[in-house]
Amino acid sequence: MYAGNINIAIPAEAMAASPHSMDSVLIDRCAEGDILAFRELYDRWKSPLFSLAYRFHGNREDAEDSLQDAFVHMYRSIGSFRRDAKFETWMYRIVMNACISAKRPRRAGERGVDFTDEARHPAAEDPGADVAMQGILEEEISGLPELQRAVFLLYASQNMTHPEIADVMHIGVGTSKSYYHRARTSLKQRLAQRGIHTSETEQ
Amino acid sequence: MTAQFNEPGDPKRPVPDGGAPDLERMARDLPRRDAPDSLWPRIEQSLREEQRRAAERPESFVDRLARAFRVPAVTLALYGVILLVGAGMSWYLLREYAQRDEATAIATQSSDEMMHDAQSDIEQAMFYYERAIGKLTVLAERNEGKLDPQFVALQKDKISLLRSSIDECKAALAKNGTHPEVQHYLLLAYNDLQSTLQQMVNRAN
């Protein structure tokens, strides 16, 4: 096992280049079976991907399982990653597939939504945020149908465009917009029932 | 050298700022969730097992190709199957076409040969008519004194007319050797001439 700083010889040009160039260098090394390089990729992307998986499942355990499956799958198939495709899109696609294909549904008493506790004792880097409201929102997001949930999170939380979401999810742009609209409408209704009223602005 | 990377995932889509909180802003401001430190060891263990299994299993030709072409082995195998099926179908269709073409060629060649044979038979008939007419002409001239001079004169006029018709037909056939109507009239003229000469010979005897 590897803990602490990982030292990898990265070419100076790559260091000075964009994050995508760095990803490209690491991808080459991963394709040759370099697990240390893969660890670097993991460190670079674990935070946004884990947040996505966490919000999708609504609990830490399922998020960890999905992310583990996703990264193992990435390592296995990184050699076949085409350079004309966007690595980010490829990666999000694998994570979303892992989340959606994770074991479901859960019965009462099994792993459930645990946003609220964590939100009340946040690893919160945003002390000004309305923690309770965020917990409710995460809870309601995790109650959406899977595809609506995935599209909503990619759009609203990951800040992707509909064409990008369409690429990640292998759906049409219109379908992405439709899922997003339905997710948004549903969320607003659910939040309103819990006394949280949001503005009508739809982007 | 310790790699220091920028945080990936810079915003691509412009997001509004300020104003009343809306759903998108609430979603965007959701707290970041950090992966636990225990996650990488789990992933690494899975990867090590994966590597161990891969090392135990000898890399197949398909695996090597898949790695070279940067496509999953399953996809490559599927391409291979599609290629094989396509090649098989192409071979079958080409073979069918070639066989059909060959049969057509045989039929065409056979018709040409038959036409050639028929023309040869007609030319042989003409040859035999001319040979017979030549012999009958000698016989008729030999017996000319035994016949009525008026009859001989009439027959000679007819023979002269028939010979000129034969010469015209031959001239026409020299330009178009297989003209069916010319061949027909030539054979009729030969037949008439042979019949006329034979009448003279028969009458003299």
Side-chain angles (χ1 to χ4, degrees):
Chain A
M1 310 294 175
Y2 297 90
N5 287 337
I6 300 297
N7 297 320
I8 304 176
I10 303 292
E13 312 84 70
M15 290 288 293
S18 67
H20 296 296
S21 301
M22 292 175 203
D23 280 346
S24 184
V25 171
L26 291 171
I27 290 164
D28 283 337
R29 290 176 178 274
C30 293
E32 292 164 3
D34 187 344
I35 289 187
L36 294 179
F38 193 66
R39 169 73 191 265
E40 278 296 331
L41 268 184
Y42 168 82
D43 283 341
R44 283 170 54 71
W45 289 97
K46 66 179 179 185
S47 185
L49 294 179
F50 185 78
S51 292
L52 178 65
Y54 190 101
R55 285 167 194 154
F56 184 89
H57 287 298
N59 68 77
R60 184 167 284 279
E61 290 83 359
D62 284 341
E64 287 178 20
D65 289 349
S66 287
L67 210 61
Q68 182 182 348
D69 290 346
F71 271 102
V72 170
H73 183 93
M74 280 180 215
Y75 182 78
R76 196 185 297 149
S77 55
I78 202 163
S80 61
F81 168 68
R82 296 194 328 272
R83 297 312 167 91
D84 54 340
K86 277 180 72 178
F87 181 64
E88 193 177 342
T89 301
W90 180 77
M91 212 167 37
Y92 273 104
R93 183 182 301 141
I94 291 175
V95 171
M96 289 318 302
N97 283 342
C99 288
I100 289 171
S101 62
K103 286 176 186 172
R104 61 186 191 273
R106 296 180 210 92
R107 291 184 296 274
E110 294 186 59
R111 289 173 191 173
V113 176
D114 66 0
F115 287 125
T116 329
D117 287 344
E118 199 157 331
R120 281 194 196 106
H121 308 92
E125 287 124 10
D126 185 0
D130 186 338
V131 174
M133 198 159 72
Q134 287 175 338
I136 291 171
L137 176 59
E138 287 187 316
E139 194 179 319
E140 292 300 342
I141 289 172
S142 71
L144 289 171
E146 282 170 348
L147 288 174
Q148 288 185 32
R149 198 187 325 162
V151 169
F152 181 83
L153 285 173
L154 290 173
Y155 186 89
S157 176
Q158 300 304 124
N159 202 32
M160 284 188 176
T161 62
H162 282 298
E164 285 173 330
I165 296 169
D167 203 12
V168 167
M169 302 289 293
H170 279 312
I171 56 176
V173 175
T175 309
S176 173
K177 287 179 180 173
S178 169
Y179 278 137
Y180 179 75
H181 179 74
R182 281 151 64 183
R184 193 175 188 279
T185 305
S186 177
L187 274 177
K188 285 174 72 71
Q189 286 172 352
R190 289 173 190 215
L191 290 175
Q193 284 169 2
R194 297 178 72 163
I196 300 171
H197 297 279
T198 56
S199 75
E200 288 302 318
T201 312
E202 183 167 2
Q203 295 167 29
Chain B
M1 183 191 325
T2 302
Q4 298 291 327
F5 296 120
N6 296 330
E7 182 71 15
D10 295 329
K12 297 173 286 295
R13 182 165 49 81
V15 288
D17 203 12
D22 59 26
L23 209 48
E24 284 76 19
R25 183 175 304 126
M26 285 167 70
R28 197 174 69 243
D29 292 341
L30 286 173
R32 199 182 72 181
R33 306 292 180 173
D34 288 323
D37 291 340
S38 61
L39 185 54
W40 172 253
R42 283 170 56 186
I43 293 170
E44 190 189 25
Q45 190 180 353
S46 299
L47 298 182
R48 295 287 179 200
E49 283 173 15
E50 185 100 356
Q51 277 191 331
R52 186 180 52 77
R53 280 197 298 271
E56 287 170 359
R57 180 173 56 90
E59 192 178 41
S60 70
F61 178 66
V62 173
D63 289 335
R64 283 201 299 275
L65 276 180
R67 196 154 46 81
F69 287 107
R70 290 184 176 278
V71 292
V74 175
T75 308
L76 194 73
L78 192 65
Y79 286 158
V81 169
I82 290 169
L83 194 69
L84 277 176
V85 170
M89 284 181 67
S90 301
W91 175 79
Y92 176 77
L93 290 173
L94 280 173
R95 198 188 61 162
E96 284 287 301
Y97 180 77
Q99 282 179 348
R100 199 179 313 149
D101 199 41
E102 193 178 350
T104 308
I106 289 168
T108 308
Q109 190 180 17
S110 178
S111 298
D112 287 347
E113 279 182 356
M114 284 171 73
M115 179 59 83
H116 184 266
D117 286 350
Q119 285 298 328
S120 178
D121 288 345
I122 292 167
E123 285 169 8
Q124 274 197 334
M126 292 173 187
F127 169 76
Y128 285 120
Y129 263 122
E130 285 195 347
R131 202 164 69 172
I133 286 166
K135 288 172 183 173
L136 287 170
T137 303
V138 172
L139 275 174
E141 284 174 355
R142 277 185 195 167
N143 296 297
E144 209 178 274
K146 298 178 188 174
L147 295 170
D148 176 28
Q150 200 174 356
F151 172 73
V152 171
L154 283 172
Q155 293 300 90
K156 280 192 174 179
D157 281 348
K158 190 178 176 184
I159 287 167
S160 173
L161 192 65
L162 288 169
R163 285 197 189 279
S164 64
S165 296
I166 287 168
D167 288 342
E168 281 177 24
C169 288
K170 279 185 173 178
L173 285 176
K175 292 177 185 171
N176 184 0
T178 57
H179 197 294
E181 286 184 10
V182 178
Q183 284 177 338
H184 173 71
Y185 287 119
L186 178 60
L187 288 170
L188 280 179
Y190 275 137
N191 188 259
D192 257 11
L193 183 56
Q194 168 258 318
S195 175
T196 305
L197 289 167
Q198 206 152 8
Q199 278 179 9
M200 288 174 73
V201 172
N202 289 347
R203 184 166 289 201
N205 293 327

